[in-house]
Amino acid sequence: MSDDEQAGGAADDAPEKPAGGRSSDADDKKADDKRSDDKRSGDRKAGDRKSGDRKSGDRKSGDDKKQAKDGKKQARDDKDRDDEGEDDDEKSAEDGADDEEDEREKERERAAGRFKAYTRDPLAEDQGEDGPTDLAAAARTRRATRLLFDVGRDLHRFDRSYFNSAHIGDINLRLGARQFGAGMRSGPVPEDELRRLRRAHVEPEGYVRLRTALRAQRLLVLGAAPGTGRTSTALSLLDEVTTSAASGTGTGPDAEPPAGSRVLRVDPDGGVRQLAASLDESRGGEGEEARPGVGYLLELSLTRPGALPPDEMDLDELAAALARCEAFAVIVVTVGSAANPLLAGRYGMICPPAPTEELLATRLRERLEEHAAGAGEDDTAPADLLARAERLADREEVKDAVGLKDLRPAEAELLASLLAGHVLGDISREALLDGCRSLAAVQAQEWFAGVDRALTARPAEAERGDRNPGRAGTATLFHPVAFRIALAVLGGASHSAVAAAAHLLTWELSVQSDPDNTPARPLFCDDPEADRALSRAELTDGKVEVDGHEVPARLIWYRGSALPSAVLTELWDRHFPVRAPVVRWLRLLADDPRDQVWMRAAVAAGELCVRDFDHGYTELIRPLAEATTNRRLIFAATTLDQAAGHASHRKAVHRLIGDWSKKGTPSQRWSAAWALGYGNAAATMDDTLDALARIGVRDEGELVTVASHNVVRLLVLPDAAEVLARMAEWTHHKREPYQDLGLAATVRLALTTVDELLMDPDSLGDDSDSPWADRGDWPVALALAAIRPELVEPMADLMWTALNTARSKDVAVDALEELLRSAVRKDGTEWTRPGLAELLPALATEEHDRRRLDWLLRRMMSDPEKPLPDADARDLWWLAVAPEERARQDGPRQDRRRQEWPGPHRPGPERPRQEWPRQDRSRRDRTREEERHG
């Protein structure tokens, strides 16, 4: 029978002992007649060992082994001198017995060494056996990242990623990424547009300051991100200052402008110099007659390759020409490195966005007033409709569907149309929510539409015969979109990490666009403020983990939970050529040593695979699952788990993980084990444990390390009782690899903290009601004991087995010491004491167990580096004493402590056996009797 057939779980090979019992040394052969003698010998050695001679991890040092061998040799020499006349055959027999005993001791030491390796951190091979590993930090990063995508929109419920327009009732929603009217380059602004602007424009913060500067200087360079209402603000400013200058009246929405067009758009191709020249020509009578009080709007595009911003002298010349003509001009530019010199000059100012709530209320009022103008007298009043629409906008389902913190003017107008249509009964609830979800999708389409259109055109150098002209400015052009992609993948990481990843992706995009030339890499053109404005991002103060320690950092997020999914959907579904550089970029992020980078990239890769699993599996999952580093294997497993979170791909992932666990390569089985630890990679918990058993016992336990770790990860799920029962079956199994799997998982149960395992992203939040919330740094065994007392007995049975098994007892004792030391924190406050109060009484139920605990506490008190205080040791001792036993004892508690558990420096009389009350016969007692009597 093959290993795969034998590894189907404990059901394939029935255990020799009952599943609920505590077995003694599971790896000793039944034919070993010296079990009892070895056990008594071990007890005597443990009792005679002095606690201060060595640390907990150095109990079998080389000096001790040498001293033991020297003692045995000396004893043999003494025996030879005393019995010189003894028969030579008897001496040879004794020497042979001693050699056999030495060989057995060496084998036990080798087995203990092998088992210690089973309990190492799975990332130890990548980061050094003794160095710190990042499992806890990676788990926390995964929980934070999953919140970005677990919002129920584009990649979850919203499966339509192509939007152009929709006609809902009598509302025509324009959802195209191309803004209508963008082709209007020059000419007068229609009076109807200005009149509507006076009525509906919402002034942003600092609007008065902008108007004052324009009146004083005649020229204003207004910088903002596209879509923030910068053009509307510029038109409103020009309308006000020109109306006031020409009529001498006040400004306001009811002020009537003088006759003739007062606001003109200027062709941006001519630039600032052409506008100044045209003003002087008109003033000199060579062109159209100049009219005072005219306003000019010029929108400059500085993002095109080769585009140069006007210098300060050009602006001074234009301002002088405007003053001579008594005219005004506003130049609108996009914030960024190219516009920084303009915005830093005397004419530059930043245009803040309009407030969202006021903007939406204004648009709603406008829509409802238009409806009321054509309605009958019996219809609902506009004020009541407005109140209903505002209440509808405040509902959580609507806010979640919108997924944007700040609305831009076009978005507010669309949302107002949707809310008004629903209030008036023209559109359904489903249509309302679908339209709300489209806002983020439209924004993503605008960000990526035609970014490299200028680069794909034939360069001018090619027309002159240059066979390899190259393309200038690719890095500058691609950096904004690369930053948006990096922010979608790494949202919540430090700003420096996102910026570095964006530059890495900029390089990949530039090479993909122009593979024959090495792209230039600008070094001093970064503008964090521009990156944030162009990507609708925000910076917050937070912390990141560095080698397990939190340090302050500036974190960056999208201002809207819908934007990460919308960006990834737009990227993957509508721009296929960009997949190749993004895949290369994600592979590079998989090798990044920072958990805030590689774990976030793994979760985002899972979301991309959902959009096209065939492509994602071929290009990302399979290559990473066959890698040689454990971090890449975890990356592949996390990507699969993220895909399994979607019902459409869950069965496919289950079949894939099942195949890997049965007949995959060692690397694939490693990845499968980690994916199984998330709890979503198999249909049931029984199937999950069967697959982990297949992986852990194959090839004589080659992957028992990662398998046992992921068994423990399952213990934070509701099926923890089933997991513990299976672990007990493994420890009683007749095959040693199964025993090692169960024993290693048991030791990990005491060594692993909750932070490293927890899968629920909401259970560790500050406002969470989960019982795990304040126990992130607790060992899993003690957290389970405090939260689920019904699991104490099976956990105690497993730990007793590990403590009484030769190859695992040293590691198990060390783990028990770690549990005991976690009772209180360094500042004296309570830590895991409630969990110890539940677990210790079940673990120390008879004299042998209590003697071991007594010895361990004394050794901890005598530790030269971390001595356990006497009071803490005594408190731990009494936690292990059953409450009913303490109730039967007389005298004050402090007196009993001094008499019955003396400190190591005050030895007291040996306790009579009757002071250790025997409880009812447990399963452990019955198991021990069965072993004695065969």
Side-chain angles (χ1 to χ4, degrees), residues 876-891:
L876 289 170
W877 170 255
W878 281 103
L879 283 180
V881 178
E884 58 271 16
E885 180 181 350
R886 293 204 303 267
R888 289 196 299 267
Q889 307 221 5
D890 298 327

Side-chain angles (χ1 to χ4, degrees), residues 1 155 163 185 379 400 605 697 702 725 774 804 837 888 934:
M1 182 180 296
L155 297 181
F163 276 88
R185 305 181 64 82
D379 290 346
D400 288 343
V697 305
E702 178 185 357
D774 57 349
N804 289 277
R888 289 196 299 267

Side-chain angles (χ1 to χ4, degrees), residues 79 179 192 351 375 429 538 725 745 872 923:
K79 185 176 181 61
Q179 294 184 357
D192 291 342
C351 179
R429 173 181 171 276
E538 62 179 342
D872 293 347
R923 287 173 296 188

Side-chain angles (χ1 to χ4, degrees), residues 80-88 91:
D80 291 341
R81 285 194 298 269
D82 294 339
D83 302 329
E84 292 179 355
E86 191 174 357
D87 188 76
D88 292 341
K91 291 183 180 180

Side-chain angles (χ1 to χ4, degrees), residues 539-566:
L539 289 170
T540 59
D541 292 327
K543 294 181 179 181
V544 297
E545 293 195 37
V546 178
D547 283 343
H549 304 283
E550 290 187 341
V551 295
R554 294 283 284 168
L555 309 182
I556 188 166
W557 311 76
Y558 270 118
R559 289 188 60 81
S561 57
L563 288 172
S565 294

Side-chain angles (χ1 to χ4, degrees), residues 187-189 194 214 218-219 234-235 237-247 258-266 275 278-279 282 288-297 318-319 321-330:
V189 179
L194 293 176
L214 179 59
R218 302 270 177 181
L219 176 62
L235 288 174
L237 289 170
L238 291 172
D239 182 52
E240 287 194 31
V241 296
T242 54
T243 300
S244 177
S247 64
S261 177
R262 293 293 171 180
V263 181
L264 302 174
R265 286 189 175 93
V266 180
L275 177 59
S278 64
L279 289 174
S282 62
E288 183 183 353
E289 182 180 355
R291 290 182 288 112
V294 175
Y296 297 93
L297 174 64
L318 177 59
L322 291 169
R324 290 190 291 269
C325 295
E326 298 182 1
F328 302 89
V330 176

